Amino acid sequence: MKTAKLGILRERTEELLRSSLSKALSSAANPKQLHNVHSLLITSGLERSAFFAGKLISKYAQFKDPISSLSVFHHFSPATNVYQWNSIIRALTHCGLFSKALELYSTMRDIQLKPDKYTFPSVINACAAAGDFQIGRVVHNHVLEIGFEFDSYIGNALVDMYARFGDLIKARNVFEEIPHKDIVSWNSLISGYSANAYWEEALEVYYQARMAGLNPDPFTISSLLPACGGLLAIKEGEMVHGLVEKLGIDADIIVSNGLLSMYFKFGRLLDARRVFNGMVVKDTVSWNTLICGYCQMELFKESIELFMEMVRRFRPDLLTITAVLRACGLLQDLEFGNFVHDYMIRSGFECDITASNIIIDMYAKCGDLLASRNVFDRMKCRDSVSWNTLINGYIQSGSYGEGVKLFKWMKMDLRPDFITYVALLSISTRSADMKLGKEIHCDLVKLAFDTDLVVCNALVDMYAKCGKIDDSLMVFENMKVRDIVTWNTVIAACVQAEDCILGLRMVTHMKNEEFMPDMATLLGILPICSAIAAKRQGKEVHAYTFKFGFLLAVPIGNALIEMYSKCGNLTYSVRVFEHMKTKDVVTWTALISAYGLHGEGKNALRTFEEMIAAGIIPDHVAFVAIIYACSHSGFVEEGLAYFDLMKKDYNIEPRLEHYACVVDLLSRSGQLSKAEEFIKSMPLKPDASIWGALLSACRASGDLKIAERISQNIFQPGSHDPGYYVLAANVYAALGRWDDVRMIRKSIKARGLKKDPGCSWIEIRKRVYAFRTEDKFFKQYEKVNNLLGILTNLMAKEGYAADLQYALHDVEEDEKRGLLYGHSERLAIVFGLLNTEPGTPLQIFKNLRVCGDCHTWTKYVSKIVKREILVRDANRFHKFQDGTCSCGDHW
DNA sequence: CTAGGGTTAG
């Protein structure tokens, strides 16, 4: 009786002890408390119970102490209770010791201990985290063997595992087989698609889930937001935001951070700020998302300011620091970059590979390759990004040899990837080294990198820059996938090859394939429009910049000013200029050039002075523009004054183009001997462009003595512009030295140079009509020829006589007259007269310079037909009105 | 069992 009572009492005490120790164990808030409870368990002999052992193992894992977990587990040898095994496997997985967890799982199988359904989720997790596809398959088979495949927990874990392997087909299959799909099942699939950038699929599954009656939770939302952001699905994103507020889960910090990140992807700074400011609790991720978001929007200065603000009230982590270091690199702010790097070291941050790579890049972008090299050399472990970043740094600073040397070392450490080869390719692109480019192309084919999009884009660019447009187009045609960069590159390739028509065709082609032009595209198209005076396409680009807000970008405005002025619309150039909020030296130069081109020298001078007053410092291009403008308006004194000012006040050493402008300035005003003296006094060796400027003036003014003296200077080795040869030939033709003309023609042929045939074009009712010299094969030839005769007869009565020195063949006088007759601008003008209402102004464009005879001829025409005729030749605009020209015969 | 912020290249 007594012993029985005593037994009950002992049991009761033991029970009390167990329950209080169990409570103490669960509520242990730090490792120290846990150790105390552990000691109590040992003294009371309860440590060896399967229940407490399992609890201890889990609890140690909670405090990331897997060693203690393992030590508790190893007190049982061998452990026979599945609960203990589950605990240790879960503990090890939780602590990131995935292989150890999987090792224990296979030991469990070796000793033929049967896992239960609680074993698998953590085992599957370990496979997923370790990236071990092989064991993952084995575990999956094991699950099927035991018949656990219908368990939701296990199914969900499998979905997650396959998604992490990137095998969304298998993930989906497992998902479909789960009989009772719960919210975690849906979340796992959505998250799987989202994490692998299958954004459409993520959204689609989300809609399916909603139709299945599922209410989203924070997990659902936080997988969905990146999908909305990635797709730039603004409507869906806003809807999800609304839903978040309706469900009241906007207090979830991960959800809010997700919203923040999404708005940055949309480029919606204000909405992002609103989310950030509205957050009651912010964590490091919130701040980092904000700072990185500003960087993504290229607001680097602001992102640095935010960093400073963050430092005052929050502790930054390594990601914050690397984000600002990136901003420093992109701003090329070496001073602040050094400061932040120093701050990082002082604060004791340990750099991982990624962080070190970012620092290498920062220093490289700031031009401090020594610092880059230092960080690189100190790294204990490097990946291909480390090598690529350093190699690219050297290449971008022009040290191609160092880049190649590093490439050779890299091969001893690890295998170069396609990015390494793209870097090497850029050496050949930059130095137009076709041989090297071809070699790399061969390597790329051998390594099967030649199907990669970025690689192909680089190849298109390389061949184009090496002058091999056909090879460039060949790579382009063979590409199966293209992106916006491909199109921008191929358009630039067309410009490089001086095939503007093909360039515009590419633009159409690109639109047909529904690619949205970006800023780079527009900056590629505008110069084409300028070159061939494609007014409609140019205006279209302008409209596009309005629609998408690119107008605010300074380079776009600059290109628009040039485009409008070269298309003959100076008023629009001025309007674009006036609307620009930010103007740089290029903007002002563009306007000065525009005025120069149209012969409005006074406005050019005024604009130049306004630029100085606005505090903009003119560069060497600005001086070319102003001297050019002076030259084309006959402002000789002013032009010479600016030439002196450039050296004296701005310390800019004159380049060949400045000397060419001055020669042009002097010779246009008839001071031919002074121009010749000026050339002789130049410190630089005059090239064909300098002699050409003088020569063309000699020809226009008929001073054949000087022309004869200097014409041989045109033939200089290295001059590949056929224009100068033609010019010299023209001079000899004017002198009647036909043998020399023939000699030059031969020389042009021998050098493989091709003379551009004269071509003029006019746009009437959205169609462009182009005419070549002597063109006889167009529809209205008879009518045009008739009117041409009538007009020429009419002006003969007013005093016009053909200036036969401009006929370039050794033929009889009558025939010469006929040749002048057929000059392409005359055909275009007469065609325009025939096909527009009386009084309509005409705009003609010509690829070469207007000849002196045509210039006179057009003056007469403008008077006879009472029309304003605007002609853009290779040099400038001529506005013919009532028998005079705006160039005042300075052209 | 499911969720958020970082690197090189055209």
Side-chain angles (χ1 to χ4, degrees):
Chain A
M1 206 48 192
K2 228 178 180 180
T3 46
K5 263 192 180 170
L6 218 68
I8 290 169
L9 200 67
R10 196 178 296 135
E11 255 174 47
R12 283 260 170 87
T13 329
E14 207 164 283
E15 216 179 285
L16 217 66
L17 188 66
R18 286 173 80 103
S19 81
S20 61
L21 281 174
S22 169
K23 264 188 203 157
L25 189 54
S26 304
S27 59
N30 55 48
K32 204 178 163 196
Q33 284 176 15
L34 178 57
H35 275 115
N36 288 340
V37 182
H38 192 175
S39 307
L40 284 172
L41 282 167
I42 292 170
T43 47
S44 56
L46 287 170
E47 189 211 14
R48 303 189 73 85
S49 97
F51 172 79
F52 278 110
K55 281 262 176 195
L56 272 171
I57 291 169
S58 304
K59 200 72 200 181
Y60 275 118
Q62 239 183 55
F63 296 122
K64 290 277 150 84
D65 184 0
I67 306 293
S68 301
S69 294
L70 271 172
S71 123
V72 174
F73 178 74
H74 283 309
H75 267 109
F76 308 90
S77 44
T80 49
N81 190 309
V82 186
Y83 179 57
Q84 291 157 9
W85 285 89
N86 291 349
S87 303
I88 191 64
I89 291 173
R90 198 187 311 124
L92 293 171
T93 306
H94 180 78
C95 295
L97 297 170
F98 309 118
S99 343
K100 188 78 194 159
L102 292 175
E103 199 185 300
L104 287 179
Y105 161 73
S106 69
T107 315
M108 208 174 157
R109 297 199 68 182
D110 290 344
I111 60 170
Q112 293 181 347
L113 187 69
K114 209 176 162 207
D116 65 8
K117 64 176 193 174
Y118 299 105
T119 317
F120 284 103
S122 26
V123 173
I124 295 169
N125 253 350
C127 296
D132 198 325
F133 191 79
Q134 299 270 332
I135 300 185
R137 294 283 318 164
V138 172
V139 174
H140 191 180
N141 284 333
H142 197 186
V143 167
L144 296 173
E145 240 169 67
I146 305 180
F148 281 166
E149 70 265 38
F150 302 120
D151 183 275
S152 305
Y153 273 58
I154 295 173
N156 296 346
L158 284 168
V159 170
D160 181 60
M161 178 186 80
Y162 283 119
R164 274 176 215 272
F165 291 152
D167 189 344
L168 272 302
I169 310 262
K170 281 218 174 64
R172 181 105 197 197
N173 286 341
V174 176
F175 172 82
E176 301 291 356
E177 295 298 321
I178 301 174
H180 302 289
K181 298 178 180 66
D182 60 11
I183 189 161
V184 179
S185 322
W186 288 100
N187 288 347
S188 302
L189 189 62
I190 295 171
S191 141
Y193 279 128
S194 181
N196 287 282
Y198 292 108
W199 289 313
E200 281 109 337
E201 287 84 350
L203 239 88
E204 200 186 304
V205 174
Y206 166 73
Y207 285 126
Q208 278 178 28
R210 298 232 61 185
M211 281 196 289
L214 187 103
N215 274 323
D217 68 359
F219 286 88
T220 328
I221 301 295
S222 57
S223 300
L224 200 57
L225 290 172
C228 295
L231 283 173
L232 293 179
I234 297 184
K235 264 194 181 162
E236 281 83 352
E238 284 172 340
M239 240 160 56
V240 176
H241 191 175
L243 188 65
V244 164
E245 282 172 355
K246 202 178 117 196
L247 294 171
I249 52 176
D250 46 343
D252 185 301
I253 197 158
I254 297 182
V255 167
S256 295
N257 289 342
L259 283 170
L260 188 60
S261 171
M262 179 187 76
Y263 280 121
F264 274 121
K265 284 198 193 121
F266 292 161
R268 303 248 298 237
L269 186 62
L270 277 176
D271 289 300
R273 275 311 310 214
R274 210 166 291 151
V275 170
F276 183 80
N277 294 341
M279 287 171 74
V280 183
V281 190
K282 299 175 179 93
D283 64 3
T284 318
V285 178
S286 321
W287 279 97
N288 290 349
T289 310
L290 188 74
I291 291 171
C292 292
Y294 273 74
C295 286
Q296 277 162 36
M297 303 198 62
E298 300 185 14
L299 298 167
F300 305 120
K301 285 214 174 82
E302 291 80 352
S303 81
I304 288 175
E305 279 161 21
L306 282 169
F307 168 72
M308 302 305 282
E309 191 185 331
M310 178 183 180
V311 172
R312 282 198 297 273
R313 28 165 120 185
F314 217 93
R315 205 182 133 67
D317 68 1
L318 192 61
L319 254 73
T320 328
I321 288 168
T322 51
V324 271
L325 284 173
R326 250 194 100 221
C328 293
L330 291 161
L331 281 173
Q332 302 188 302
D333 187 341
L334 181 58
E335 201 185 324
F336 199 71
N338 269 322
F339 169 77
V340 178
H341 189 192
D342 196 51
Y343 167 88
M344 187 193 84
I345 294 166
R346 267 188 290 122
S347 313
F349 283 105
E350 279 294 320
C351 265
D352 58 12
I353 293 186
T354 304
S356 302
N357 293 345
I358 293 170
I359 297 168
I360 292 173
D361 190 47
M362 183 273 289
Y363 280 123
K365 287 211 161 68
C366 292
D368 191 345
L369 267 305
L370 257 135
S372 287
R373 187 57 174 266
N374 232 320
V375 175
F376 179 87
D377 286 342
R378 281 162 203 261
M379 284 170 80
K380 290 183 202 82
C381 191
R382 303 173 188 98
D383 62 7
S384 64
V385 179
S386 325
W387 285 96
N388 291 343
T389 308
L390 190 64
I391 290 176
N392 263 310
Y394 277 115
I395 294 175
Q396 250 138 38
S397 73
S399 312
Y400 302 153
E402 199 62 29
V404 174
K405 207 161 85 191
L406 276 165
F407 170 68
K408 284 179 187 148
W409 285 346
M410 175 182 185
K411 281 201 279 199
M412 291 187 266
D413 184 29
L414 43 80
R415 190 191 288 275
D417 57 14
F418 76 90
I419 293 178
T420 322
Y421 285 94
V422 170
L424 288 184
L425 207 50
S426 83
I427 296 180
S428 57
T429 310
R430 284 152 181 268
S431 53
D433 185 343
M434 175 73 176
K435 203 172 144 262
L436 178 64
K438 266 239 155 83
E439 273 171 35
I440 300 167
H441 192 171
C442 288
D443 286 343
L444 286 164
V445 173
K446 274 184 221 149
L447 295 160
F449 286 150
D450 62 322
T451 50
D452 181 274
L453 178 61
V454 176
V455 168
C456 289
N457 290 344
L459 285 170
V460 171
D461 195 35
M462 183 275 288
Y463 282 119
K465 295 255 163 68
C466 291
K468 297 282 175 187
I469 184 71
D470 291 339
D471 292 311
S472 172
L473 290 174
M474 183 113 80
V475 176
F476 172 79
E477 297 294 345
N478 288 331
M479 286 170 74
K480 290 190 185 67
V481 191
R482 297 181 182 127
D483 70 356
I484 187 72
V485 180
T486 319
W487 290 102
N488 294 348
T489 309
V490 82
I491 290 168
C494 295
V495 174
Q496 176 94 24
E498 295 184 346
D499 194 339
C500 291
I501 303 297
L502 184 60
L504 285 184
R505 222 180 287 149
M506 287 293 180
V507 174
T508 314
H509 196 160
M510 162 185 177
K511 282 192 210 148
N512 288 343
E513 296 198 2
E514 295 183 356
F515 274 93
M516 294 283 276
D518 65 5
M519 203 139 89
T521 322
L522 303 186
L523 285 172
I525 303 173
L526 282 172
I528 297 182
C529 300
S530 302
I532 59 168
K535 288 188 272 182
R536 260 178 310 114
Q537 287 88 342
K539 268 204 164 155
E540 213 173 286
V541 172
H542 192 181
Y544 196 88
T545 60
F546 263 112
K547 206 166 148 189
F548 292 91
F550 292 147
L551 197 58
L552 295 169
V554 177
I556 292 274
N558 298 348
L560 282 172
I561 293 174
E562 186 192 355
M563 183 277 290
Y564 276 123
S565 78
K566 290 208 168 153
C567 286
N569 198 335
L570 184 57
T571 316
Y572 271 33
S573 292
V574 176
R575 205 172 290 170
V576 171
F577 176 86
E578 282 170 351
H579 275 95
M580 285 173 71
K581 288 196 187 77
T582 318
K583 299 178 176 91
D584 61 9
V585 64
V586 183
T587 318
W588 289 90
T589 305
L591 189 64
I592 294 165
S593 303
Y595 281 131
L597 203 60
H598 286 263
E600 300 202 4
K602 277 197 181 140
N603 280 326
L605 292 172
R606 178 181 49 80
T607 307
F608 194 91
E609 292 311 318
E610 281 172 13
M611 170 176 78
I612 307 270
I616 302 278
I617 297 165
D619 62 2
H620 68 101
V621 191
F623 278 103
V624 171
I626 190 65
I627 302 171
Y628 171 96
C630 290
S631 160
H632 282 261
S633 296
F635 296 160
V636 182
E637 294 307 314
E638 291 84 346
L640 291 173
Y642 278 119
F643 183 74
D644 289 335
L645 186 79
M646 170 172 83
K647 287 183 288 188
K648 272 192 206 130
D649 287 14
Y650 294 94
N651 203 20
I652 299 172
E653 208 39 56
R655 307 182 182 194
L656 271 176
E657 52 262 45
H658 298 106
Y659 287 104
C661 276
V662 173
V663 172
D664 198 54
L665 177 77
L666 291 167
S667 43
R668 264 178 217 284
S669 68
Q671 308 183 40
L672 297 179
S673 333
K674 209 170 165 191
E676 198 184 353
E677 284 308 308
F678 181 80
I679 296 178
K680 282 183 186 155
S681 71
M682 277 172 60
L684 299 173
K685 188 178 183 316
D687 69 351
S689 75
I690 304 271
W691 292 113
L694 180 53
L695 200 56
S696 59
C698 293
R699 184 166 163 249
S701 67
D703 190 330
L704 300 178
K705 265 192 203 146
I706 296 185
E708 192 156 17
R709 197 157 59 230
I710 64 171
S711 55
Q712 75 268 15
N713 289 312
I714 288 290
F715 305 104
Q716 291 182 356
S719 167
H720 289 291
D721 188 338
Y724 297 124
Y725 291 86
V726 174
L727 181 60
N730 290 346
V731 170
Y732 288 133
L735 290 165
R737 288 168 48 178
W738 300 108
D739 283 344
D740 288 323
V741 174
R742 272 186 285 276
M743 188 270 291
I744 294 177
R745 291 232 161 87
K746 262 189 203 158
S747 158
I748 292 178
K749 239 188 185 170
R751 288 179 195 225
L753 299 176
K754 240 175 127 183
K755 162 184 172 225
D756 281 342
C759 177
S760 299
W761 60 98
I762 181 170
E763 193 175 313
I764 298 169
R765 285 183 287 279
K766 296 192 174 183
R767 260 206 69 179
V768 175
Y769 299 88
F771 303 88
R772 293 190 169 201
T773 309
E774 299 277 315
D775 209 339
K776 291 188 175 70
F777 303 100
F778 53 95
K779 262 191 185 165
Q780 303 179 20
Y781 173 67
E782 289 293 327
K783 277 165 95 180
V784 167
N785 205 36
N786 265 335
L787 184 54
L788 203 57
I790 294 168
L791 285 170
T792 310
N793 281 333
L794 277 174
M795 65 182 75
K797 281 177 194 156
E798 306 230 353
Y800 164 77
D803 187 347
L804 297 186
Q805 64 147 327
Y806 291 102
L808 303 178
H809 294 266
D810 181 15
V811 287
E812 290 307 312
E813 294 233 328
D814 270 358
E815 217 171 317
K816 280 186 185 170
R817 216 162 267 130
L819 285 172
L820 291 173
Y821 224 73
H823 277 181
S824 62
E825 56 267 54
R826 304 193 190 195
L827 301 176
I829 290 171
V830 174
F831 185 88
L833 292 174
L834 283 168
N835 291 283
T836 50
E837 294 295 314
T840 319
L842 296 181
Q843 278 193 13
I844 314 290
F845 300 90
K846 180 172 169 132
N847 64 336
L848 307 174
R849 273 184 66 180
V850 172
C851 87
D853 190 50
C854 285
H855 195 259
T856 315
W857 186 89
T858 312
K859 285 201 268 190
Y860 279 102
V861 172
S862 72
K863 192 171 182 189
I864 293 168
V865 300
K866 296 197 167 48
R867 293 249 203 159
E868 178 191 307
I869 303 171
L870 189 67
V871 179
R872 189 190 104 183
D873 70 1
N875 243 342
R876 60 165 291 157
F877 275 95
H878 302 263
K879 195 187 204 174
F880 297 94
Q881 234 171 344
D882 197 31
T884 62
C885 177
S886 63
C887 74
D889 301 334
H890 289 286
W891 88 98

